[in-house]
Amino acid sequence: MFHRRKTYTIRPERLEEFTSFFHTYLYPIQVSHGARLVGRWVTEDQTEVMALWEYRDREHYEQVERDYRASSLRREAMKKRARLGKDLYIKSSEEFMMPTGHYTPPRTIVSVTAYVTNDAGEVLLVQNMHRNDTYEMPGGQVEEHESIIDAVYREVKEETGAEIEVEGITGIYQNVSSRVLCVTFRARYVSGELAPQPGETQEVGFYKIDTSNISDYIKREHFQMRVLDAMDPTYLPHAIYKVRPYELLERVESHHTV
């Protein structure tokens, strides 16, 4: 892992304003492009705020920075800071650190992706800014306290502009190298104007995909596997629930398409 310690010097009377600015702009900009916030601290005299960010490696950090600089939310943040005044924070500094060991249990990142078809039987594919060597199904990381169902609706909307209706889970895939567990859904397109999203996707569209031409669009084998499984799926049973007290939010039995 690769870590960046970002320190902001602030005026104590502006701590609340800076915290709001951080949560509205700085945090979502980084997280939406793959960084993880390890923690955020303020000194007792409230003159410094320190945030510790985690990346897979320096290459990942540099990619996040490129995506961050190109994002529309960053432009909004700059405008907001101009309105709040440049002394929202007096200065900032950053240091980079490498871990000396692993002291916490391994974490698994849960992501979702969707095989979305339209009335013509075409499949919704995207070409991401950070993976522009291939097309793939839209998707992304599940946020904290978010259900996988809510996540797939949100990710497809954010990456493509499409509203969808989920039909079921067609597969679960684990990348042990990066500790990512991906849940793939099959869904149908309902509405929405398709458009690339700044900082997320550079191409979005429906394509006629089958077993004979899949490699013309999807270049990575693990992405191909998810699409092929979703073409003629057996839907997996799943349940979403809360505990203390128990509340079943969604339950779907297994079935096969006909």
Side-chain angles (χ1 to χ4, degrees), residues 6-10 18 22 26 47-49 89 91-92:
K6 185 80 171 183
T7 303
Y8 301 88
T9 302
I10 65 169
F18 177 78
F22 182 92
L26 304 183
T47 59
E48 283 191 347
V49 175
Y89 55 90
K91 64 179 181 178
S92 66

Side-chain angles (χ1 to χ4, degrees), residues 3-201:
H3 293 87
R4 177 174 66 117
R5 181 170 63 191
K6 185 80 171 183
T7 303
Y8 301 88
T9 302
I10 65 169
R11 302 185 192 281
E13 64 271 17
R14 304 210 68 178
L15 174 61
E16 186 174 340
E17 284 180 284
F18 177 78
T19 297
S20 176
F21 180 80
F22 182 92
H23 289 153
T24 304
Y25 298 103
L26 304 183
Y27 175 77
I29 286 173
Q30 288 285 323
V31 171
S32 66
H33 292 97
R36 187 180 81 88
L37 181 63
V38 177
R40 181 176 177 271
W41 299 267
V42 61
T43 56
E44 288 187 354
D45 63 1
Q46 299 185 348
T47 59
E48 283 191 347
V49 175
M50 191 271 282
L52 185 63
W53 295 97
E54 182 180 272
Y55 310 86
R56 290 190 299 273
D57 47 35
R58 176 171 279 279
E59 182 181 358
H60 180 217
Y61 158 71
E62 291 173 350
Q63 181 62 60
V64 170
E65 282 297 292
R66 287 193 292 269
D67 292 342
Y68 154 70
R69 287 192 291 269
S71 69
S72 58
L73 191 56
R74 176 179 179 266
R75 292 190 290 272
E76 291 178 24
M78 294 174 67
K79 292 177 182 178
K80 181 66 174 180
R81 188 186 174 196
R83 290 195 295 270
L84 292 173
K86 291 187 176 180
D87 65 343
L88 178 65
Y89 55 90
I90 300 168
K91 64 179 181 178
S92 66
S93 62
E94 62 183 15
E95 297 175 292
F96 299 98
M97 299 176 290
M98 299 291 292
T100 59
H102 298 284
Y103 306 105
T104 58
R107 297 181 306 276
T108 296
I109 299 169
V110 179
S111 67
V112 293
T113 189
Y115 180 94
V116 181
T117 58
N118 60 15
D119 291 340
E122 298 167 320
V123 181
L124 180 60
L125 298 177
V126 303
Q127 192 174 61
N128 282 319
M129 302 292 292
H130 62 288
R131 261 194 312 265
N132 58 12
D133 63 318
T134 182
Y135 285 89
E136 59 190 273
M137 297 181 291
Q141 187 172 327
V142 179
E143 296 180 352
E144 188 174 4
H145 303 304
E146 182 181 40
S147 77
I148 55 175
I149 299 293
D150 290 341
V152 74
Y153 280 114
R154 175 183 55 76
E155 284 290 346
V156 172
K157 176 69 173 178
E158 288 179 355
E159 290 196 350
T160 70
E163 300 284 353
I164 62 171
E165 183 64 36
V166 167
E167 296 175 342
I169 294 174
T170 60
I172 299 173
Y173 309 88
Q174 183 181 15
N175 182 339
V176 296
S177 299
S178 57
R179 301 197 299 273
V180 175
L181 187 72
C182 180
V183 181
T184 298
F185 292 84
R186 182 161 172 148
R188 62 180 183 85
Y189 169 77
V190 176
S191 64
E193 183 177 349
L194 301 186
Q197 304 300 305
E200 292 276 352
T201 50

